[in-house]
Amino acid sequence: MSVLELSHVTKRYRVRGAGDMLALDDVSVTIASGRTVALVGQSGSGKSTIAKIITQLERATSGQVLLDGAPVPRRGRALRRYRQQVRMVFQDPFASLNPYHTVRHHLERPLRLDHVVPAEEVEAEVHRLLERVRLDPAATVDRRPHELSGGQRQRVAIARALASRPSLLVADEPVSMLDVSIRLGVLNLLADLQRERDLGVLYITHDLATARHFSDEIVVLHRGRVVERGPADDVILRPQHEYTQALLAASPDPDKHFAQTREGTRR
Amino acid sequence: MTSDNVLTVSGFSVLYDVEPPVEAVKDVSLELRRGEILGLAGESGCGKTTLAYGIQRLLRPPAVITSGSAVFHDESGTDVDLGSLTDEQMRRFRWDKVSMVFQGAMNALNPVMTIGEQLGDVFTTHRPGTSRAERTARCGDLLEMVGVGRERLRSYPHELSGGMRQRVMIAMALALRPQLMVMDEPTTALDVLVQREILQQISQLRAELGFSVVLITHDLPLLLEISDRIAVMKDGRVVEVGTASDIYHRAQHEYTRRLLGSFPSLTGDRGDFVRTGAGTSEEVAS
Ligand SMILES: Nc1ncnc2c1ncn2[C@@H]1O[C@H](COP(=O)(O)OP(=O)(O)OP(=O)(O)O)[C@@H](O)[C@H]1O
Ligand SMILES: Nc1ncnc2c1ncn2[C@@H]1O[C@H](COP(=O)(O)OP(=O)(O)OP(=O)(O)O)[C@@H](O)[C@H]1O
Ligand SMILES: [Mg+2]
Ligand SMILES: [Mg+2]
């Protein structure tokens, strides 16, 4: 059982020629084993910054990041161990995979470094991981990232993050380039891992429907502040804050759209 | 009547000549009308990006165009077979007449140049007469249009969020007011409000300037709202093309129907697409 707590975190950035900008303003979020928290909100509201602070790629200006009550290590072997436990899927699969390495290399590395399976089982584990994200292992393992489609790269990034069997996963828009069937497949995989291995997930997304159906709690971020949080169904079905309400009202709804344009009734 | 079209693609096929070979695009024929937004949907890996690259001659080996042609019908009345242009001609043609927002656009900016310098470069290269002051003003306006704010002209790409970088690329593609814009997953990092604002801007500009858009996305609900027509691809082929309304109400192809049926509803029940136990989910077979 692991609990990761972001407590009263503030992050200030400098915008060239425009002074300081408060990217995060007193944000607190808790992720725990076996649960999924969805983080939704405006583009530029600080979601990726939260992910980077959790994985120690950025430092908070103030506030704390605690794993099981203790401050998260900042360097050395302890930080490496922490990063094995808390994995991240980056927002941009075009930047986060190494163009010189094959898919096999990307997956073997964490398997070997973190001694996930005995050496003789690494190959089989690579295949299993690819299958779990719905990629055809035979057609994929020897390819390099640029030889894959966008959605295929995204799935390699997810498989890599899962390879070390982390206890917590911070997934920044992990399924944004996937069509709905594969998207649901990957999200169902995370749900399975939650049951099998007690995985905890921070799911950053702008897909409100999957945020609702795949998470326990939804946190809504607007201009660096948490403006609403609560059980997933409450936030989506009975939004309190006007930003959440606006967001939900703007979600494409084909039924409504065609009813309005009268296309639906014309035949 | 070809004069109503801006682009005619016929019998287009692309092969990745690797072992085993991948037939990524198979015998695709499509027409794009002037002023039209054509949506292109289909599962991950079905060949959408390859088709978009192929039409604009952006593919590199091992990709080979094995058959077909793409003809651009310029406003001036001339027809241009894109396959017959030299690299230099094609380079000028792109941006000026056709612009593209690449999938993974948030990674396409130069990390060591500011946003303003990169936007400005488009004008320096393609509109050499533009004065410095006018350039700065135009670049600022473009940023405002996509909701990033002109104070970010002096920022470097890594100082912007993923969605902001995506919007900068959209601004860049709009800069020269091309006749055709190809946008490959341009809104993956945008919340629905920002997405709506940008698409409204594009729709409005399209009405003013009469350009056409090919919009590639997995977001079918979005496509249904914004597109005039939608083409659905599967395994390298276009299996269905129709008006948004026809696709929604009267999809002909089994695959399209399943695609439409598998969207989780925002406010409805969980439905059976979410696996809640050991049971299996309703999935679109590939
Ligand atoms: N290194 C940096 N220097 C200056 N500003 C930064 C830096 N990194 C991020 N920012 C700013 O912080 C704010 C929050 O960015 P962040 O990437 O966390 O947003 P986000 O919610 O992930 O957005 P998106 O949905 O578009 O990815 C943005 O205004 C961004 O420009
Ligand atoms: N350089 C390459 N060598 C071999 N196969 C390739 C190469 N580039 C792409 N492919 C394959 O061609 C097929 C089509 O890829 P493409 O990028 O066009 O798909 P897509 O429809 O854009 O998918 P996505 O929605 O995931 O971006 C995929 O199966 C991909 O793996
Ligand atoms: Mg982000
Ligand atoms: Mg693609």
Side-chain angles (χ1 to χ4, degrees):
Chain A
M1 177 77 189
S2 314
V3 178
L4 189 109
E5 205 184 340
L6 213 67
S7 170
H8 301 288
V9 163
T10 296
K11 177 73 187 177
R12 211 177 275 284
Y13 282 120
R14 177 146 303 148
V15 176
R16 265 157 239 276
D20 273 7
M21 198 247 329
L22 205 51
L24 293 177
D25 185 2
D26 194 24
V27 170
S28 298
V29 179
T30 303
I31 326 166
S33 296
R35 284 176 59 83
T36 296
V37 176
L39 186 57
V40 306
Q42 208 189 8
S43 167
S45 62
K47 302 182 296 297
S48 297
T49 304
I50 289 182
K52 287 183 205 155
I53 287 174
I54 291 177
T55 48
Q56 298 283 295
L57 295 169
E58 290 274 5
R59 289 277 167 82
T61 307
S62 67
Q64 280 188 304
V65 189
L66 305 168
L67 181 64
D68 300 327
V72 163
R74 292 192 161 172
R75 58 182 70 83
R77 199 181 291 174
L79 177 58
R80 230 189 68 70
R81 253 201 320 274
Y82 171 77
R83 286 201 175 135
Q84 175 185 347
Q85 219 178 332
V86 182
R87 281 278 168 192
M88 169 136 170
V89 179
F90 291 90
Q91 183 169 13
D92 183 2
F94 283 74
S96 67
L97 299 175
N98 186 329
Y100 300 106
H101 290 308
T102 60
V103 170
R104 182 197 312 279
H105 180 95
H106 278 93
L107 300 183
E108 274 184 0
R109 212 177 120 81
L111 289 175
R112 289 191 200 284
L113 281 177
D114 297 332
H115 308 289
V116 178
V117 291
E120 64 274 14
E121 282 174 34
V122 165
E123 177 76 13
E125 181 70 10
V126 166
H127 280 239
R128 256 197 305 277
L129 283 163
L130 289 172
E131 275 166 3
R132 292 203 85 165
V133 294
R134 308 249 225 123
L135 286 170
D136 172 6
T140 319
V141 277
D142 293 316
R143 297 241 192 115
R144 284 170 223 280
H146 65 269
E147 298 169 325
L148 299 172
S149 80
Q152 288 166 342
R153 285 183 228 200
Q154 204 161 39
R155 282 175 277 166
V156 171
I158 294 167
R160 175 178 62 175
L162 293 174
S164 322
R165 305 199 180 165
S167 44
L168 299 173
L169 183 72
V170 177
D172 194 354
E173 303 270 14
V175 292
S176 61
M177 291 179 196
L178 301 180
D179 54 279
V180 61
S181 117
I182 295 176
R183 178 177 299 196
L184 295 178
V186 168
L187 292 171
N188 273 319
L189 163 65
L190 296 183
D192 288 347
L193 292 177
Q194 210 149 54
R195 277 187 298 271
E196 288 166 27
R197 293 189 206 145
D198 216 21
L199 179 73
V201 181
L202 180 66
Y203 173 40
I204 301 177
T205 184
H206 69 259
D207 180 355
L208 297 169
T210 59
R212 176 184 166 213
H213 295 300
F214 285 91
S215 56
D216 304 289
E217 185 190 357
I218 296 181
V219 175
V220 184
L221 209 60
H222 183 61
R223 300 193 177 178
R225 287 193 187 183
V226 173
V227 294
E228 180 156 5
R229 69 189 335 147
D233 275 1
D234 287 359
V235 172
I236 299 296
L237 301 177
R238 291 170 291 279
Q240 301 299 311
H241 193 273
E242 60 180 69
Y243 175 69
T244 319
Q245 290 164 353
L247 205 57
L248 286 161
S251 289
D253 182 341
D255 280 326
K256 237 178 0 193
H257 172 72
F258 287 112
Q260 272 164 11
T261 56
R262 288 183 309 150
E263 283 281 354
T265 49
R266 200 180 71 191
R267 271 213 76 155
Chain B
M1 273 242 319
T2 49
S3 61
D4 280 325
N5 288 346
V6 65
L7 183 74
T8 307
V9 178
S10 348
F12 209 82
S13 303
V14 181
L15 177 84
Y16 287 102
D17 195 4
V18 291
E19 201 46 57
V22 180
E23 284 184 75
V25 174
K26 300 170 192 160
D27 194 26
V28 166
S29 298
L30 271 179
E31 287 180 352
L32 184 65
R33 302 184 189 138
R34 212 171 287 286
E36 171 179 64
I37 298 184
L38 176 74
L40 184 58
E43 73 186 12
S44 173
C46 72
K48 303 179 294 296
T49 299
T50 306
L51 175 62
Y53 272 54
I55 290 169
Q56 299 177 74
R57 306 285 147 162
L58 286 163
L59 292 168
R60 295 281 165 266
V64 191
I65 296 172
T66 52
S67 72
S69 66
V71 177
F72 181 82
H73 313 287
D74 196 74
E75 303 177 302
S76 67
T78 13
D79 282 358
V80 185
D81 180 348
L82 298 181
S84 69
L85 297 183
T86 63
D87 281 359
E88 178 51 29
Q89 284 171 323
M90 191 64 219
R91 212 175 52 79
R92 230 171 315 128
F93 192 84
R94 245 176 266 140
W95 290 109
D96 239 357
K97 310 261 186 195
V98 182
S99 71
M100 170 123 187
V101 179
F102 294 97
Q103 187 175 20
M106 65 176 95
N107 186 35
L109 289 161
N110 184 336
V112 298
M113 278 169 76
T114 67
I115 301 304
E117 285 165 350
Q118 300 187 53
L119 274 171
D121 257 10
V122 176
F123 292 107
T124 331
T125 314
H126 295 273
R127 301 282 184 273
T130 324
S131 75
R132 178 184 251 276
E134 194 184 335
R135 230 169 33 225
T136 311
R138 297 264 298 268
C139 293
D141 293 346
L142 282 167
L143 282 190
E144 296 283 342
M145 194 169 87
V146 293
V148 170
R150 56 184 357 111
E151 73 275 7
R152 300 296 184 127
L153 280 173
R154 291 169 66 185
S155 293
Y156 286 89
H158 76 273
E159 296 170 332
L160 301 186
S161 78
M164 288 169 152
R165 275 177 273 147
Q166 236 171 16
R167 284 180 270 164
V168 169
M169 294 307 293
I170 294 175
M172 212 177 262
L174 286 166
L176 300 177
R177 319 207 141 169
Q179 293 175 45
L180 168 61
M181 256 176 97
V182 180
M183 303 204 287
D184 194 354
E185 298 279 7
T187 61
T188 51
L190 302 181
D191 61 273
V192 284
L193 278 166
V194 168
Q195 176 179 303
R196 216 167 254 281
E197 274 160 32
I198 290 197
L199 293 173
Q200 257 156 23
Q201 292 277 5
I202 291 175
S203 284
Q204 205 177 321
L205 278 176
R206 169 188 70 143
E208 277 167 37
L209 307 171
F211 63 82
S212 315
V213 179
V214 176
L215 178 58
I216 302 176
T217 176
H218 291 297
D219 194 340
L220 213 53
L222 173 76
L223 275 191
L224 287 165
E225 273 192 29
I226 179 166
S227 320
D228 300 303
R229 288 187 308 145
I230 295 175
V232 179
M233 262 180 102
K234 181 169 171 21
D235 296 334
R237 290 183 201 281
V238 170
V239 294
E240 178 154 13
V241 192
T243 64
S245 170
D246 276 347
I247 294 278
Y248 188 59
H249 297 289
R250 298 172 279 280
Q252 298 301 309
H253 201 279
E254 163 75 17
Y255 174 70
T256 313
R257 282 201 294 269
R258 270 187 294 168
L259 210 55
L260 286 163
S262 53
F263 267 88
S265 146
L266 184 56
T267 49
D269 289 340
R270 281 201 165 211
D272 46 10
F273 48 81
V274 181
R275 214 152 44 208
T276 45
T280 52
S281 59
E282 250 276 58
E283 282 159 357
V284 182
S286 52

